[in-house]
mmCIF file of all heavy atoms in Angstrom:
data_model
loop_
_atom_site.group_PDB
_atom_site.id
_atom_site.type_symbol
_atom_site.label_atom_id
_atom_site.label_comp_id
_atom_site.label_asym_id
_atom_site.label_seq_id
_atom_site.Cartn_x
_atom_site.Cartn_y
_atom_site.Cartn_z
ATOM 1 N N VAL Z 11 82.054 102.892 194.539
ATOM 2 C CA VAL Z 11 81.948 103.985 193.561
ATOM 3 C C VAL Z 11 80.759 103.677 192.621
ATOM 4 O O VAL Z 11 79.956 104.562 192.302
ATOM 5 C CB VAL Z 11 83.293 104.206 192.804
ATOM 6 C CG1 VAL Z 11 83.113 105.190 191.707
ATOM 7 C CG2 VAL Z 11 84.349 104.679 193.736
ATOM 8 N N ALA Z 12 80.705 102.541 192.147
ATOM 9 C CA ALA Z 12 79.615 102.115 191.233
ATOM 10 C C ALA Z 12 78.276 102.304 191.903
ATOM 11 O O ALA Z 12 77.346 102.801 191.320
ATOM 12 C CB ALA Z 12 79.864 100.699 190.748
ATOM 13 N N LEU Z 13 78.114 101.887 193.165
ATOM 14 C CA LEU Z 13 76.926 102.039 193.901
ATOM 15 C C LEU Z 13 76.605 103.405 194.204
ATOM 16 O O LEU Z 13 75.461 103.944 194.087
ATOM 17 C CB LEU Z 13 76.947 101.171 195.188
ATOM 18 C CG LEU Z 13 77.049 99.668 194.964
ATOM 19 C CD1 LEU Z 13 77.238 99.015 196.387
ATOM 20 C CD2 LEU Z 13 75.717 99.074 194.366
ATOM 21 N N PHE Z 14 77.707 104.174 194.519
ATOM 22 C CA PHE Z 14 77.469 105.637 194.794
ATOM 23 C C PHE Z 14 77.013 106.454 193.685
ATOM 24 O O PHE Z 14 76.316 107.332 193.767
ATOM 25 C CB PHE Z 14 78.848 106.233 195.388
ATOM 26 C CG PHE Z 14 78.762 107.619 195.606
ATOM 27 C CD1 PHE Z 14 78.062 108.095 196.711
ATOM 28 C CD2 PHE Z 14 79.442 108.569 194.863
ATOM 29 C CE1 PHE Z 14 77.981 109.477 196.998
ATOM 30 C CE2 PHE Z 14 79.397 109.927 195.184
ATOM 31 C CZ PHE Z 14 78.660 110.312 196.271
ATOM 32 N N ALA Z 15 77.369 106.030 192.478
ATOM 33 C CA ALA Z 15 77.044 106.782 191.273
ATOM 34 C C ALA Z 15 75.508 106.851 191.107
ATOM 35 O O ALA Z 15 75.025 107.750 190.471
ATOM 36 C CB ALA Z 15 77.692 106.158 189.973
ATOM 37 N N VAL Z 16 74.744 105.816 191.632
ATOM 38 C CA VAL Z 16 73.305 105.930 191.494
ATOM 39 C C VAL Z 16 72.592 106.309 192.730
ATOM 40 O O VAL Z 16 71.268 106.205 192.825
ATOM 41 C CB VAL Z 16 72.837 104.387 191.007
ATOM 42 C CG1 VAL Z 16 73.429 104.035 189.731
ATOM 43 C CG2 VAL Z 16 73.185 103.397 192.047
ATOM 44 N N ALA Z 17 73.381 106.603 193.724
ATOM 45 C CA ALA Z 17 72.773 107.058 194.947
ATOM 46 C C ALA Z 17 72.665 108.638 194.989
ATOM 47 O O ALA Z 17 73.420 109.329 194.287
ATOM 48 C CB ALA Z 17 73.655 106.584 196.203
ATOM 49 N N SER Z 18 71.754 109.140 195.838
ATOM 50 C CA SER Z 18 71.697 110.548 195.914
ATOM 51 C C SER Z 18 72.717 111.100 196.800
ATOM 52 O O SER Z 18 73.191 110.522 197.733
ATOM 53 C CB SER Z 18 70.307 110.951 196.532
ATOM 54 O OG SER Z 18 70.268 110.373 197.848
ATOM 55 N N VAL Z 19 73.291 112.298 196.486
ATOM 56 C CA VAL Z 19 74.421 112.931 197.143
ATOM 57 C C VAL Z 19 73.884 113.939 198.195
ATOM 58 O O VAL Z 19 73.192 114.845 197.813
ATOM 59 C CB VAL Z 19 75.305 113.613 196.187
ATOM 60 C CG1 VAL Z 19 76.547 114.180 196.938
ATOM 61 C CG2 VAL Z 19 75.892 112.527 195.162
ATOM 62 N N GLY Z 20 74.228 113.764 199.485
ATOM 63 C CA GLY Z 20 73.704 114.733 200.481
ATOM 64 C C GLY Z 20 74.941 115.519 200.976
ATOM 65 O O GLY Z 20 76.039 115.040 201.153
ATOM 66 N N ALA Z 21 74.669 116.826 201.153
ATOM 67 C CA ALA Z 21 75.820 117.660 201.591
ATOM 68 C C ALA Z 21 75.968 117.525 203.155
ATOM 69 O O ALA Z 21 75.150 117.345 203.792
ATOM 70 C CB ALA Z 21 75.444 119.125 201.339
ATOM 71 N N VAL Z 22 77.257 117.655 203.519
ATOM 72 C CA VAL Z 22 77.564 117.488 204.955
ATOM 73 C C VAL Z 22 77.564 118.939 205.502
ATOM 74 O O VAL Z 22 78.281 119.889 205.018
ATOM 75 C CB VAL Z 22 78.946 116.847 205.180
ATOM 76 C CG1 VAL Z 22 79.403 117.082 206.513
ATOM 77 C CG2 VAL Z 22 78.943 115.357 204.805
ATOM 78 N N GLU Z 23 76.940 119.071 206.712
ATOM 79 C CA GLU Z 23 76.879 120.371 207.316
ATOM 80 C C GLU Z 23 78.228 120.694 207.967
ATOM 81 O O GLU Z 23 78.718 119.815 208.754
ATOM 82 C CB GLU Z 23 75.802 120.422 208.368
ATOM 83 C CG GLU Z 23 75.659 121.664 209.231
ATOM 84 C CD GLU Z 23 74.660 121.574 210.328
ATOM 85 O OE1 GLU Z 23 74.159 120.453 210.504
ATOM 86 O OE2 GLU Z 23 74.412 122.575 210.982
ATOM 87 N N THR Z 24 78.790 121.816 207.709
ATOM 88 C CA THR Z 24 80.188 122.143 208.233
ATOM 89 C C THR Z 24 80.049 123.352 208.994
ATOM 90 O O THR Z 24 80.173 124.445 208.465
ATOM 91 C CB THR Z 24 81.216 122.243 207.073
ATOM 92 O OG1 THR Z 24 81.185 121.040 206.349
ATOM 93 C CG2 THR Z 24 82.635 122.457 207.672
ATOM 94 N N LYS Z 25 79.914 123.298 210.360
ATOM 95 C CA LYS Z 25 79.846 124.542 211.181
ATOM 96 C C LYS Z 25 81.110 124.991 211.703
ATOM 97 O O LYS Z 25 81.288 126.085 212.096
ATOM 98 C CB LYS Z 25 78.882 124.114 212.426
ATOM 99 C CG LYS Z 25 77.499 123.834 212.034
ATOM 100 C CD LYS Z 25 76.658 123.530 213.360
ATOM 101 C CE LYS Z 25 75.219 123.264 213.035
ATOM 102 N NZ LYS Z 25 74.467 123.006 214.252
ATOM 103 N N TYR Z 26 82.157 124.086 211.595
ATOM 104 C CA TYR Z 26 83.438 124.493 212.114
ATOM 105 C C TYR Z 26 84.316 125.004 210.988
ATOM 106 O O TYR Z 26 84.134 124.689 209.762
ATOM 107 C CB TYR Z 26 84.063 123.287 212.801
ATOM 108 C CG TYR Z 26 83.444 122.980 214.067
ATOM 109 C CD1 TYR Z 26 82.276 122.251 214.179
ATOM 110 C CD2 TYR Z 26 83.922 123.508 215.319
ATOM 111 C CE1 TYR Z 26 81.645 121.887 215.306
ATOM 112 C CE2 TYR Z 26 83.320 123.228 216.508
ATOM 113 C CZ TYR Z 26 82.123 122.394 216.565
ATOM 114 O OH TYR Z 26 81.595 122.182 217.710
ATOM 115 N N PRO Z 27 85.339 125.750 211.264
ATOM 116 C CA PRO Z 27 86.177 126.421 210.258
ATOM 117 C C PRO Z 27 87.045 125.326 209.415
ATOM 118 O O PRO Z 27 87.114 124.126 210.021
ATOM 119 C CB PRO Z 27 87.153 127.283 211.027
ATOM 120 C CG PRO Z 27 86.490 127.549 212.375
ATOM 121 C CD PRO Z 27 85.660 126.273 212.592
ATOM 122 N N PRO Z 28 87.523 125.548 208.286
ATOM 123 C CA PRO Z 28 88.437 124.653 207.564
ATOM 124 C C PRO Z 28 89.555 124.160 208.477
ATOM 125 O O PRO Z 28 90.141 124.967 209.112
ATOM 126 C CB PRO Z 28 88.834 125.380 206.409
ATOM 127 C CG PRO Z 28 87.792 126.478 206.157
ATOM 128 C CD PRO Z 28 87.355 126.874 207.508
ATOM 129 N N GLY Z 29 89.876 122.914 208.377
ATOM 130 C CA GLY Z 29 90.920 122.363 209.157
ATOM 131 C C GLY Z 29 90.517 121.335 210.185
ATOM 132 O O GLY Z 29 91.233 120.583 210.776
ATOM 133 N N GLY Z 30 89.161 121.201 210.372
ATOM 134 C CA GLY Z 30 88.690 120.206 211.248
ATOM 135 C C GLY Z 30 87.944 120.679 212.474
ATOM 136 O O GLY Z 30 87.382 121.767 212.478
ATOM 137 N N PHE Z 31 88.148 120.037 213.573
ATOM 138 C CA PHE Z 31 87.375 120.280 214.844
ATOM 139 C C PHE Z 31 87.862 121.712 215.366
ATOM 140 O O PHE Z 31 88.982 121.979 215.388
ATOM 141 C CB PHE Z 31 87.569 119.225 215.805
ATOM 142 C CG PHE Z 31 87.006 117.950 215.414
ATOM 143 C CD1 PHE Z 31 87.801 116.809 215.072
ATOM 144 C CD2 PHE Z 31 85.642 117.676 215.343
ATOM 145 C CE1 PHE Z 31 87.287 115.627 214.764
ATOM 146 C CE2 PHE Z 31 84.997 116.569 214.995
ATOM 147 C CZ PHE Z 31 85.957 115.450 214.668
ATOM 148 N N ASN Z 32 86.895 122.221 216.042
ATOM 149 C CA ASN Z 32 87.102 123.452 216.751
ATOM 150 C C ASN Z 32 85.959 123.424 217.894
ATOM 151 O O ASN Z 32 84.837 123.355 217.499
ATOM 152 C CB ASN Z 32 86.959 124.793 216.026
ATOM 153 C CG ASN Z 32 87.267 125.942 216.805
ATOM 154 O OD1 ASN Z 32 87.832 125.830 217.947
ATOM 155 N ND2 ASN Z 32 87.059 127.102 216.302
#
Side-chain angles (χ1 to χ4, degrees):
V11 171
L13 293 171
F14 177 67
V16 297
S18 61
V19 180
V22 168
E23 179 185 5
T24 307
K25 295 182 179 178
Y26 288 83
F31 294 112
N32 185 10

